[in-house]
Amino acid sequence: MKPSGKFEVHCALIATSLLMAGCQKSEVRYSETLDRNALMALPFPGWTPTGSDKVQAVLLPVKTVAPDKAFSATTQAEVSPLYVVKLDDTHAALVTQARPVDENNRPYDSHASSGTMGAYFFEHSAAGWRMATRQDAVATSGVEGHLGKTSITKLGEGHFAVTAQWGSCRQSICGKWLLVVGLQGNQATLLNPGIALSVNNYGANGACSALDNPALATAEEESKECLDIQSKWKFQGNRLLVSYEGRLSQLDDNAELLPTRKIREQAIYKATPGKLRLISGSVPVPDF
């Protein structure tokens, strides 16, 4: 028996409804747990922890000669999970590192290549963990494609800090810096792009060695600057304490060597949502 026109229309509507329901179900994706690999599949369908599937399309900043003309572009990068942070009972964050790759999916590892920190935020419901917001590029730091040495610290209820410590040398002067990113709610905020932690120019001109062994120093070494500062840092609650020790022997505006200054100082920062403010002391590390 040939179905009536009304029956055909009814069947077509049912089929369309089922198809739409199937499409909607595929678009809403959940993870039952906060396992990092399971969460990675939400912003990056098809991602796996090994092989070429680690390479994903992300929106990363593009370096330009003019800083005011900087922009972001979709970039192929190797993306790796660093931390899963449970902010409260219903909110969590996934922190990642992205390393741009070449045409052979190999991460760029030159001294000028930095790593990029990303953050992806999730909310929990009866269906599981669902991605709420994504930030492919929160901050960049490091050299040779890596962010540096990273860590996570709880600052307060629902408020965490992700840090990346990295170092670099330029014309025989070496330094270290600390990048701080805050996590709260559904947002990651760059709190400080780089607190100077240390400097030394032992490999530059022999001036510091001359201070250590004045009897063996040459006149040229004695006339040069010695930059020699190290530090230790730690969080105490929502405060970041950076303790500096060392010495500075610098030239004045007339290229005359000033008396060597001993360094023993502490800089204290207070972290509040969206801000990291210096509340005491100073950073004695000179720019270079």
Side-chain angles (χ1 to χ4, degrees), residues 167-230:
S168 178
C169 295
R170 192 177 305 160
Q171 295 180 342
S172 298
I173 304 178
C174 300
K176 292 180 181 179
W177 296 266
L178 183 69
L179 176 144
V180 185
V181 168
L183 303 176
Q184 189 175 46
N186 286 333
Q187 186 176 12
T189 306
L190 178 60
L191 302 183
N192 195 297
I195 297 172
L197 297 177
S198 71
V199 62
N200 80 77
N201 66 340
Y202 269 83
N205 53 38
C208 293
S209 298
L211 292 177
D212 295 329
N213 299 285
L216 302 177
T218 66
E220 183 179 1
E221 291 172 340
E222 290 178 339
S223 66
K224 301 294 184 180
E225 290 186 319
C226 169
L227 312 177
D228 183 19
I229 300 176
Q230 305 298 321

Side-chain angles (χ1 to χ4, degrees), residues 43-187:
F44 304 110
W47 181 93
T48 62
T50 58
S52 60
D53 290 335
K54 289 183 70 175
V55 176
Q56 299 286 323
V58 286
L59 195 63
L60 299 184
V62 177
K63 293 181 179 179
T64 62
V65 177
D68 59 331
K69 295 183 179 180
F71 63 96
S72 297
T74 301
T75 306
Q76 293 295 113
E78 180 187 275
V79 185
S80 303
L82 296 179
Y83 303 101
V84 175
V85 185
K86 191 172 183 181
L87 301 171
D88 56 40
D89 290 342
T90 58
H91 295 84
L94 170 68
V95 181
T96 62
Q97 174 180 259
R99 305 174 64 198
V101 299
D102 60 20
E103 63 276 7
N104 297 312
N105 286 342
R106 291 180 302 208
Y108 291 106
D109 59 359
S110 70
H111 188 77
S113 300
S114 301
T116 300
M117 185 184 299
Y120 304 85
F121 293 86
F122 305 86
E123 296 178 348
H124 189 263
S125 67
W129 292 92
R130 177 184 65 85
M131 187 172 70
T133 58
R134 68 183 295 162
Q135 294 173 253
D136 287 342
V138 178
T140 59
S141 74
V143 294
E144 298 177 354
H146 293 280
L147 286 166
K149 182 180 180 180
T150 61
S151 61
I152 188 90
T153 303
K154 184 175 181 179
L155 303 176
E157 289 302 317
H159 192 198
F160 290 77
V162 186
T163 55
Q165 179 180 316
W166 62 284
S168 178
C169 295
R170 192 177 305 160
Q171 295 180 342
S172 298
I173 304 178
C174 300
K176 292 180 181 179
W177 296 266
L178 183 69
L179 176 144
V180 185
V181 168
L183 303 176
Q184 189 175 46
N186 286 333
Q187 186 176 12

